[in-house]
Coordinates of all heavy atoms in Angstrom, one line a residue:
E31 N -8.9 12.8 6.4 CA -8.6 14.2 6.8 C -8.4 14.3 8.3 O -9.3 14.0 9.1 CB -9.8 15.1 6.3 CG -9.9 15.1 4.8 CD -11.1 15.9 4.3 OE1 -11.1 17.2 4.6 OE2 -12.1 15.3 3.8
A32 N -7.2 14.7 8.6 CA -6.9 14.7 10.1 C -7.8 15.6 10.9 O -8.1 15.2 12.0 CB -5.4 15.2 10.2
D33 N -8.3 16.7 10.3 CA -9.2 17.6 11.0 C -10.5 16.9 11.4 O -11.0 17.0 12.5 CB -9.4 18.8 10.2 CG -10.2 19.9 11.0 OD1 -9.7 20.2 12.1 OD2 -11.2 20.4 10.5
K34 N -11.0 16.1 10.5 CA -12.2 15.3 10.7 C -12.0 14.3 11.8 O -12.9 14.0 12.6 CB -12.8 14.7 9.4 CG -13.3 15.8 8.5 CD -13.9 15.1 7.2 CE -14.4 16.2 6.3 NZ -15.0 15.6 5.0
V35 N -10.9 13.6 11.8 CA -10.6 12.6 12.8 C -10.5 13.3 14.2 O -10.9 12.8 15.2 CB -9.3 11.9 12.5 CG1 -8.9 10.9 13.6 CG2 -9.4 11.2 11.1
G36 N -9.9 14.6 14.2 CA -9.9 15.3 15.4 C -11.3 15.5 16.0 O -11.4 15.5 17.2
H37 N -12.3 15.7 15.1 CA -13.7 15.9 15.6 C -14.1 14.5 16.2 O -14.8 14.5 17.3 CB -14.6 16.3 14.5 CG -14.3 17.6 13.9 ND1 -14.8 18.1 12.7 CD2 -13.5 18.6 14.4 CE1 -14.3 19.3 12.5 NE2 -13.5 19.6 13.5
L38 N -13.8 13.4 15.6 CA -14.2 12.1 16.0 C -13.7 11.8 17.4 O -14.4 11.3 18.3 CB -13.8 11.0 15.0 CG -14.5 10.9 13.7 CD1 -13.8 9.9 12.8 CD2 -16.0 10.6 13.9
V39 N -12.4 12.1 17.6 CA -11.8 11.7 18.9 C -12.2 12.5 20.0 O -12.1 12.2 21.2 CB -10.2 11.7 18.8 CG1 -9.8 10.7 17.7 CG2 -9.7 13.0 18.6
M40 N -12.9 13.7 19.7 CA -13.4 14.6 20.8 C -14.9 14.3 21.0 O -15.5 15.0 21.9 CB -13.2 16.0 20.5 CG -11.7 16.5 20.7 SD -11.5 18.3 20.7 CE -11.9 18.7 19.0
E41 N -15.5 13.4 20.3 CA -16.9 13.1 20.6 C -17.1 12.4 22.0 O -16.1 11.9 22.5 CB -17.5 12.1 19.5 CG -17.6 12.8 18.1 CD -18.2 11.9 17.1 OE1 -18.3 10.7 17.3 OE2 -18.5 12.4 16.0
P42 N -18.3 12.5 22.6 CA -18.4 12.0 23.9 C -17.8 10.6 24.2 O -17.3 10.4 25.3 CB -19.9 12.0 24.1 CG -20.4 13.1 23.3 CD -19.5 13.1 22.0
K43 N -17.8 9.7 23.3 CA -17.2 8.4 23.5 C -15.8 8.3 23.0 O -15.2 7.2 22.9 CB -18.1 7.3 23.0 CG -19.4 7.1 23.7 CD -20.2 6.0 23.2 CE -21.6 5.8 23.9 NZ -22.4 4.7 23.4
G44 N -15.3 9.4 22.5 CA -14.0 9.4 21.9 C -12.8 9.4 22.9 O -13.0 9.8 24.0
P45 N -11.6 9.0 22.5 CA -10.5 8.9 23.4 C -10.0 10.2 24.0 O -9.3 10.2 25.0 CB -9.5 8.1 22.6 CG -9.8 8.5 21.2 CD -11.3 8.5 21.1
A46 N -10.3 11.3 23.3 CA -9.8 12.6 23.8 C -10.8 13.4 24.6 O -10.5 14.5 25.1 CB -9.3 13.4 22.6
Y47 N -12.0 12.9 24.6 CA -13.2 13.7 25.1 C -12.9 14.1 26.6 O -13.0 15.3 26.9 CB -14.4 12.9 25.0 CG -15.7 13.6 25.7 CD1 -16.4 14.6 25.0 CD2 -16.1 13.2 26.9 CE1 -17.5 15.1 25.6 CE2 -17.2 13.8 27.5 CZ -17.9 14.7 26.8 OH -19.0 15.3 27.4
Q48 N -12.6 13.2 27.4 CA -12.5 13.5 28.9 C -11.3 14.4 29.1 O -11.4 15.3 30.0 CB -12.4 12.2 29.7 CG -12.5 12.4 31.2 CD -13.9 12.9 31.6 OE1 -14.9 12.5 31.0 NE2 -13.9 13.9 32.5
A49 N -10.2 14.1 28.5 CA -9.0 15.0 28.7 C -9.2 16.4 28.3 O -8.8 17.3 29.0 CB -7.8 14.3 28.0
V50 N -9.9 16.6 27.2 CA -10.2 18.0 26.7 C -11.1 18.6 27.7 O -11.0 19.8 28.0 CB -10.8 17.9 25.3 CG1 -11.3 19.3 24.9 CG2 -9.8 17.4 24.3
L51 N -12.1 17.9 28.2 CA -13.1 18.5 29.1 C -12.4 18.9 30.4 O -12.6 20.0 31.0 CB -14.2 17.4 29.4 CG -15.4 17.9 30.2 CD1 -16.1 19.0 29.3 CD2 -16.4 16.7 30.4
E52 N -11.5 18.1 30.9 CA -10.7 18.4 32.1 C -9.8 19.6 31.9 O -9.6 20.4 32.8 CB -9.9 17.1 32.6 CG -10.8 16.0 33.1 CD -10.0 14.7 33.3 OE1 -8.8 14.8 33.1 OE2 -10.6 13.7 33.7
A53 N -9.3 19.7 30.7 CA -8.3 20.8 30.4 C -9.0 22.1 30.2 O -8.4 23.2 30.6 CB -7.5 20.5 29.2
F54 N -10.2 22.1 29.7 CA -10.9 23.4 29.3 C -12.1 23.7 30.1 O -12.7 24.8 29.9 CB -11.1 23.4 27.8 CG -9.8 23.5 27.0 CD1 -9.2 22.3 26.6 CD2 -9.2 24.7 26.7 CE1 -8.0 22.3 25.8 CE2 -8.0 24.7 26.0 CZ -7.4 23.6 25.6
G55 N -12.7 22.8 30.8 CA -13.8 23.1 31.7 C -15.2 22.8 31.1 O -15.3 22.6 29.8
L56 N -16.2 22.8 31.9 CA -17.5 22.4 31.5 C -18.2 23.4 30.6 O -19.1 23.1 29.9 CB -18.4 22.2 32.7 CG -18.1 21.1 33.7 CD1 -19.0 21.1 34.9 CD2 -18.2 19.7 32.9
E57 N -17.6 24.6 30.5 CA -18.2 25.7 29.7 C -18.1 25.4 28.2 O -18.7 26.0 27.3 CB -17.5 27.0 30.0 CG -16.0 27.1 29.8 CD -15.3 26.9 31.0 OE1 -15.8 26.1 31.9 OE2 -14.2 27.5 31.2
I58 N -17.2 24.4 27.8 CA -17.1 24.0 26.4 C -18.2 23.0 26.0 O -18.3 22.7 24.8 CB -15.7 23.4 26.1 CG1 -15.5 22.1 26.8 CG2 -14.6 24.4 26.4 CD1 -14.2 21.4 26.3

Side-chain angles (χ1 to χ4, degrees):
E31 296 176 64
D33 188 52
K34 291 183 178 179
V35 178
H37 297 165
L38 286 176
V39 301
M40 286 195 293
E41 288 181 353
K43 293 184 179 180
Y47 176 81
Q48 192 60 41
V50 171
L51 194 60
E52 290 172 1
F54 292 94
L56 295 175
E57 59 266 32
I58 67 172

